Amino acid sequence: MPRTSSLFSPPNLITSSNSLGCLLRRFVPLSRVSYSNTSTAHFSSSRGLLRQTRTQFRPAPPSTRSSRTYITEATRAHQARKMAPQLDGYFQKVDALSDAFIERLREAVAIPSISSEAARRPDVVRMGHWLADQLTKLGASAELRELGKQEGTDLDLPPVVLARYGNDKNKRTILVYGHYDVQPAEKSDGWDTEPFDLIVKEDGRMCGRGSTDDKGPVLGWLNAIEAHKAAGIEFPVNLLMCFEGMEEYGSDGLDDLINAEGKKYFADADAVCISDNYWLGTEKPCLTYGLRGCNYYSIEVSGPGADLHSGVFGGTAQEPMTDLVRVMASLVDTDGKILIPGIVEQVAPITADEDGLYDNIAFTMETLHDSLGSKTTIFEDKKSTLMARWRNPSLSLHGIEGAFSGAGAKTVIPAKVTGKFSIRTVPNMEIDKTNALVCRYVEDVFKKFGSKNTLKVWPQHTGNWWVASPNHWNFAAAAKATERVWGVKPDFTREGGSIPVTLTFEQATGKNVLLLPMGSSTDGAHSINEKLDKRNYIEGIKLLGAYLHYVAEEPIN
Amino acid sequence: MPRTSSLFSPPNLITSSNSLGCLLRRFVPLSRVSYSNTSTAHFSSSRGLLRQTRTQFRPAPPSTRSSRTYITEATRAHQARKMAPQLDGYFQKVDALSDAFIERLREAVAIPSISSEAARRPDVVRMGHWLADQLTKLGASAELRELGKQEGTDLDLPPVVLARYGNDKNKRTILVYGHYDVQPAEKSDGWDTEPFDLIVKEDGRMCGRGSTDDKGPVLGWLNAIEAHKAAGIEFPVNLLMCFEGMEEYGSDGLDDLINAEGKKYFADADAVCISDNYWLGTEKPCLTYGLRGCNYYSIEVSGPGADLHSGVFGGTAQEPMTDLVRVMASLVDTDGKILIPGIVEQVAPITADEDGLYDNIAFTMETLHDSLGSKTTIFEDKKSTLMARWRNPSLSLHGIEGAFSGAGAKTVIPAKVTGKFSIRTVPNMEIDKTNALVCRYVEDVFKKFGSKNTLKVWPQHTGNWWVASPNHWNFAAAAKATERVWGVKPDFTREGGSIPVTLTFEQATGKNVLLLPMGSSTDGAHSINEKLDKRNYIEGIKLLGAYLHYVAEEPIN
């Protein structure tokens, strides 16, 4: 998942109320919830996938979460139910091969494939070759697709690994996406251990850069292939794979490739599955069917020809910084209310069905306070908070370019300052309409100042929101696999952030896209001490394989 | 002069209306203008120094301003008037030695005595030793006073050069201050020539780092001594010198030394003269008798435990940046009006006498527009502008620490942000009262937001305003010397900026302090292509010497 900076609280596997014991879960049908988006499937099925049901969910107590006992006997019994009989042998083989799978992850983590650092580009390329080599050894046909030069540089972009495993016309074909590049990491950033040495802790945490984002999930697909082969179980689908090496630095060149291959290399795909996000908490699995979009804006205010001495010019010149700060203060209030007219008016009204969804999601304000590191939330209740994150827009002020930003004191009057803010967008907000409203409002506010300075406002980049249909067989298969592996029906969640490639795949293939997370909310994807819990890795491998089996069984709806 | 960042317009010696030809100058008495400050002399003399008078001021046209003809015949005739007869020989000798004086400046500029760069510390120390050596060769007794370690480092501070030339009980003693360190400079910053090679241009510009700030003025005193010796003219006063090597980096350790030596090394001083500021424009000399103070404030707003992802937390967390920007927007408006109650109420009311002063100052809005690089001024007229710069407080927003400040787009929600702003203070503002008003206002504004975030506000540093009595014999001598050298009575000016050492000298010695600038407003002290006009250097050497002669003649008032 891109752009998740250090937002994670210290790993603590037992923080949610789920850990207190049994939890009654109640789901209500999602049918008749309708959004309009040019390229998005609708919630239109009258057969609600999310049935009202009761499920026991009992995570292991922490003291017993050793390398072999992180999953409860009740869950094992659930896994053994004969709903997709051939899975028993697969699960056993995954358990048997778990040390080898951890070794494979260790080998991958050891390659410092940092896409944002030019000096590490050879390591990123090496990682792509390693991955293609592993796939080839497993019997997949893999190719390294070159993307040309990185924009504005002489650097070759790392290749995209395109691979196919199986080509049986009688099977469904699933396209999976992941990325093999990672965020930067230095031990001196504050890591407890060497970031590129995978360290498996007593409590099951496997620490290392890329462990959860996204080498663990990518290798999950390879491990699933290997376990099937080792168990002598037929692979249930054809698997198309698209693994890129620039995700952490803007996925340069990827959209063009996906669009070009949508009806070529990816033409067979019946559905898409991306494993590059996280559970909402630490104990309850989820399937993700929606993401917010992001429109990013710049406001530039300029006047003087160069930076000024505030002693000489203070009181005699109209200062760009004063104007900019006044404009920025007019955008949003302390409680997150967007003050630009016409923004919230675009938001899809809530239906009675959706209204009933939130109370049942495994999420507590305590979890939020933990990840926030404080209690400075806008809302006091879970429902308002989830709605604010998933289905309402938000506006954040990120900073100012050109002003003094260091420690200490500097008395400069900056000549040109650029304020940065973004709006997270939701159904049914329209990009062009939103841009026009934002720009007109900012210009109107500035005009009232009567300033001689010059203001410009423009969208720096935009990305649409995405909402898929969780009633699709793709989600149904993933839900059954989750219940089989984890002993619990997953939460159906949306996320507040953006994974732009999701929408690209949907638009290029015209197929349903599912986000199927492996890691949990405390993994710290972009932080120091990034980890993937061994439990989530091994059960996650089972989950990916089981998902493919249920995909094969699922009727087309 | 410290902290004058790149605020200068390109050198243009003929920009003010003065260059249009003859200009009638009218001064009115400053008597009965009264300010209260604990340590400052008052404008109390009934004999106004600044008499109503008419003086022709005719600068040379640019085409004739070669190395030998930059001063007009009318001015030379004026210089030759027999008011202080021994000056004739001195002036001739300064002209005769001008090439040697430029060589001395070249030698000084060649030592890259950059105080802010640890690696250059040996060069700063070398510069101090070079200066002491030059003084010793001229017959002064010089000593290098060590100041210990630079705060927070293992670096030795460069020594202060303390020197005495002459010890005649029958003469007045003048204490002069200057600094031998310079701002950083690299050719790659955009210099037209090597910054540490003094280049004398056709038009008389002598470009090089430190040429005007402050090596030229410092060497002015040494050159004055040499020219007197060479001409066989008795030096008119005892000269005490204090030249420091850390002025451009906070004058670490200097205040303690000045305070300790106020009644010891500096005990004989009858008055203080500092040549480390600039003319208001490019053609009219000035004497400076006032500076604004500067109170620098920080406002810290914090909430979350770490920076947050705006996708995940946008709309659910109260964002410190939102609160900070809203507080900062409440401090000042586009026209520079300070919105904090109780600040402007402390400003000394304008008297009828002061009211008449401004119109006669050689300053035009065109000059201001040139130096500003735009027409984005708050006022349209000279008088309001000068009053805003000199006698009214101003509030500037400098920047925000902790927020995103780079180019491009980053979607972070900063966890802790610190806004920086300063207030330039004037008579009769009190530091403690102002601090209390600022902090209470900021806290009150924040309280109204109902935010759960935490706000702290505190003064980072404060420095008092300074206003001296221009009726003192120290100023009278400088005014006569200016008229003798430049053929025009100087403007009596204040400055909007701060030179904290001025107040320190005044308080430590209890004597009148005069700011006697050598360079002009286009010198670009901290900018690329810093220069001192040859005209200002050579005539400036005459001015410093003449000032000392008039000091010797001046009755004590």
Side-chain angles (χ1 to χ4, degrees), chain A residues 3 6 292 296 307 309 311 316 318-319 323 326 334-335 377-378 380 396 398 408 410 412 420 452, chain B residues 3 6 292 296 307 309 311-312 316 318-319 323 334-335 377-378 380 396 398 408 410 412 420 452:
Chain A
R3 302 194 190 87
S6 54
R292 291 197 289 187
Y296 200 101
D307 287 356
H309 187 290
T316 71
Q318 292 186 332
E319 304 185 14
D323 289 340
R326 292 180 75 198
T334 295
D335 286 327
T377 51
I378 292 174
E380 302 295 339
S396 295
H398 304 299
K410 196 173 167 186
V412 70
K420 315 282 181 78
K452 297 173 187 168
Chain B
R3 302 192 192 88
S6 53
R292 291 198 287 188
Y296 201 102
D307 287 357
H309 186 291
V312 180
T316 70
Q318 291 186 333
E319 303 185 15
D323 289 340
T334 294
D335 286 327
T377 52
I378 292 174
E380 303 295 340
S396 296
H398 303 300
K410 196 173 165 185
V412 70
K420 314 282 180 79
K452 296 174 187 169

Side-chain angles (χ1 to χ4, degrees), chain A residues 70-81:
Chain A
Y70 48 76
I71 205 86
T72 65
E73 288 311 309
T75 303
R76 286 197 186 283
H78 194 92
Q79 287 182 4
R81 283 179 209 160

